[in-house]
Amino acid sequence: MSVILLGLGRYVEEIVEVVSAISDVVLVERDEARLRAFLEKAPVANLRALPGSATDVGLWKEVDLEATEAVISFLSVEATLDVARLLRKALGYRGKIVHVSKARPDPQAVRELDLEVVSIPEVLGAILRNLLQGQGIVRYPVGIGLRKGEVVEVLITESSPAVYARLRELRQPGARVALVYREGNPILPRADFRVQPGDRLLVVGDPRGVEIFVGAVIRGEPTFPRRFGSVGALCRAEDEEALYLKERLKVRDWVEACEDPKGVAEVGVFLARDRDWVRRAFQEGYPFPSFHLRGTHPYRSVLVSANTEALSPLLASAMDLARIFGSEVYVLFVSRLEAFMPPEEKELLENLKLLVERARKTSGLEVHLIRKEGNPVRETLRLLKGKFNLLALGYTPGRRTAFFRPYVPQLLAQASPVSTLLVPEVNLER
């Protein structure tokens, strides 16, 4: 695999030093004299120089784009956008394109070309905030693994989005917490282990999975639906609400899957409008989230039903929805009368209060807890008649309602007057 650097910008020498330690480097520069001077000054064994213009189609014929992890541009904004259009639209490149500059490109062009922007002032500001406030520290252990990001150590601080979360809430495919150091003592953690400030997490796995995990626990980056899969599937969902979702959910590709969405490799989310898909989701036990569209977007206000045994993946997804859509999230827990609440319901209520407080403190999300007494289906549907745009439900694949065994998530999904998200409880450790 390789990384391509465009232009001899101010920071290229340092970038080459860092990137060449973990990947092959291709350096593109149109000024041949300047390129020769750079190579004489900083010889690197796995550095290949390509003289020429990055907007020249012929130059890219000399590069293996399928083996290219990222293209990092130090060119002007206009030149970077021209290169990005060439790579995306003419050459079909799907890897990362990063623009490094003080100036920011047009936001619409950034979205259309799937361009990542590194603004030097913003990076410095983030570093200073991290030093002053501390959301966590990431270290790549020396002498362990291939030093390509498959083993990292994460120090959890008071301001980390992961603080006080259980490990099951932080699960990502391709990554797992192998060991936790607390006050110098090693702990082999279970899924219900609760992370505390000062913990050092040793995370192992596929480099991309580890990268997503680190982004989630350090910066609170949303991982929905990537924690389930990298491909989006849909069935005849091409209206405004489907477009609204497709523009905001980060997946590698969208495919039509009306016959069998379970047959789509690496599917992470499914969009459907026909109400029959609700029945099929429960009957067939979809191991990925599914949106059932009712035309109630944008999702400014999301109601999350906590009356489910599949609560952990549901709450993790709900927090991501708040970040992705800018939504206010309301967690609804319908219990028995307080005098008759069993210990497990009381414990769940206290845990929900802790979750809401943690989300507000560490991420600034608008999360609220609502408690009602009575029938979960009736109270939830009654509340949905108000201001909510999306109902989020958790469920266990394979479990569905029956005459003598009503299943609350399915009953709610079938009767919901607003768009509904179904989030399954599945094992993501793969």
Side-chain angles (χ1 to χ4, degrees):
M1 301 299 284
S2 64
V3 172
I4 300 176
L5 306 181
L6 307 181
L8 282 170
R10 181 176 177 184
Y11 306 99
V12 169
E13 186 173 341
E14 291 81 3
I15 296 296
V16 167
E17 182 179 352
V18 172
V19 175
S20 62
I22 59 175
S23 179
D24 292 335
V25 181
V26 178
L27 179 57
V28 177
E29 169 58 49
R30 66 188 308 165
D31 188 332
E32 294 190 32
R34 191 179 179 194
L35 184 58
R36 285 195 300 271
F38 176 83
L39 295 174
E40 292 172 0
K41 179 181 178 183
V44 176
N46 56 338
L47 171 64
R48 176 190 175 197
L50 272 181
S53 171
T55 56
D56 181 3
V57 178
L59 179 139
W60 292 101
K61 293 180 180 179
E62 302 182 39
V63 175
D64 184 1
L65 282 176
E66 290 187 1
T68 299
E69 293 180 279
V71 175
I72 303 175
S73 173
F74 295 87
L75 306 175
S76 67
V77 171
E78 294 76 14
T80 298
L81 291 177
D82 287 341
V83 172
R85 291 188 188 96
L86 172 65
L87 291 174
R88 296 292 192 215
K89 298 181 178 181
L91 302 178
Y93 177 62
R94 293 185 177 181
K96 286 187 178 180
I97 303 178
V98 183
H99 172 62
V100 182
S101 174
K102 292 182 179 179
R104 295 186 63 84
D106 173 60
Q108 183 175 351
V110 169
R111 289 192 298 270
E112 290 177 353
L113 298 171
D114 191 17
L115 189 67
E116 298 188 26
V117 179
V118 176
S119 168
I120 300 303
E122 288 182 6
V123 170
L124 292 176
I127 292 172
L128 289 174
R129 285 194 299 273
N130 201 36
L131 290 173
L132 296 173
Q133 299 175 355
Q135 286 190 320
I137 299 172
V138 182
R139 298 188 179 94
Y140 292 81
V142 177
I144 300 178
L146 301 176
R147 295 187 67 189
K148 291 191 175 183
E150 75 282 7
V151 182
V152 302
E153 178 189 292
V154 182
L155 172 63
I156 301 297
T157 64
E158 189 69 48
S159 298
S160 169
V163 71
Y164 304 122
R166 297 184 188 276
L167 287 184
R168 67 163 63 93
E169 300 169 25
L170 305 175
R171 293 183 306 181
Q172 304 294 336
R176 64 181 301 166
V177 178
L179 198 65
V180 176
Y181 286 92
R182 178 172 290 173
E183 297 179 351
N185 299 313
I187 301 172
L188 291 172
R190 296 180 179 273
D192 61 352
F193 180 88
R194 194 181 291 281
V195 176
Q196 295 183 4
D199 286 350
R200 290 187 294 128
L201 313 183
L202 188 66
V203 186
V204 300
D206 175 80
R208 179 56 180 160
V210 171
E211 177 187 354
I212 293 173
F213 180 93
V214 170
V217 301
I218 295 297
R219 297 178 293 277
E221 295 175 355
T223 60
F224 180 91
R226 291 177 298 172
R227 72 166 66 94
F228 296 93
S230 58
V231 174
L234 69 163
C235 179
R236 292 187 291 272
E238 295 295 342
D239 57 7
E240 289 185 5
E241 187 172 12
L243 182 61
Y244 170 78
L245 285 163
K246 290 168 69 175
E247 287 178 343
R248 289 161 177 80
L249 298 180
K250 291 186 177 180
V251 296
R252 188 176 70 243
D253 198 11
W254 288 95
V255 299
E256 192 76 17
C258 287
E259 292 298 324
D260 179 20
K262 290 176 68 175
V264 178
E266 299 183 45
V267 61
V269 66
F270 177 62
L271 313 183
R273 177 163 293 284
D274 191 333
R275 283 187 180 270
D276 186 57
W277 284 105
V278 172
R279 177 189 59 79
R280 290 182 59 176
F282 285 92
Q283 182 175 321
E284 300 177 21
Y286 292 161
F288 44 79
S290 54
F291 280 90
H292 301 271
L293 312 183
R294 304 284 182 268
T296 55
H297 69 293
Y299 305 144
R300 297 190 180 94
S301 189
V302 178
L303 183 64
V304 179
S305 172
N307 291 91
T308 176
E309 75 284 4
L311 193 55
S312 291
L314 174 63
L315 292 175
S317 297
M319 297 305 106
D320 277 357
L321 293 182
R323 298 180 179 98
I324 294 170
F325 300 115
S327 314
E328 284 191 74
V329 174
Y330 293 80
V331 180
L332 171 64
F333 179 52
V334 183
S335 69
R336 307 174 204 188
L337 294 175
E338 189 167 0
F340 299 100
M341 286 178 65
E344 57 269 21
E345 279 194 0
K346 293 180 179 179
E347 182 182 4
L348 175 57
L349 182 59
E350 291 305 312
N351 285 337
L352 290 172
K353 291 177 181 177
L354 181 63
L355 166 84
V356 168
E357 182 61 30
R358 185 180 79 233
R360 288 174 176 168
K361 180 178 180 181
T362 62
S363 60
L365 297 177
E366 290 290 335
V367 185
H368 314 273
L369 178 62
I370 302 173
R371 177 173 172 261
K372 297 284 186 179
E373 295 177 346
N375 182 286
V377 175
R378 184 171 58 249
E379 294 299 326
T380 304
L381 293 177
R382 182 179 298 166
L383 204 58
L384 279 176
K385 294 178 181 178
K387 63 177 182 178
F388 296 102
N389 313 108
L390 180 71
L391 173 64
L393 303 168
Y395 71 103
T396 299
R399 185 176 177 184
R400 55 187 184 272
T401 197
F403 186 78
F404 293 108
R405 291 182 294 109
Y407 189 37
V408 170
Q410 185 173 359
L411 294 175
L412 285 172
Q414 291 172 336
S416 173
V418 302
S419 296
T420 303
L421 169 64
L422 300 179
V423 180
E425 172 71 87
V426 293
N427 181 16
L428 297 176
E429 294 181 1
R430 59 175 187 264

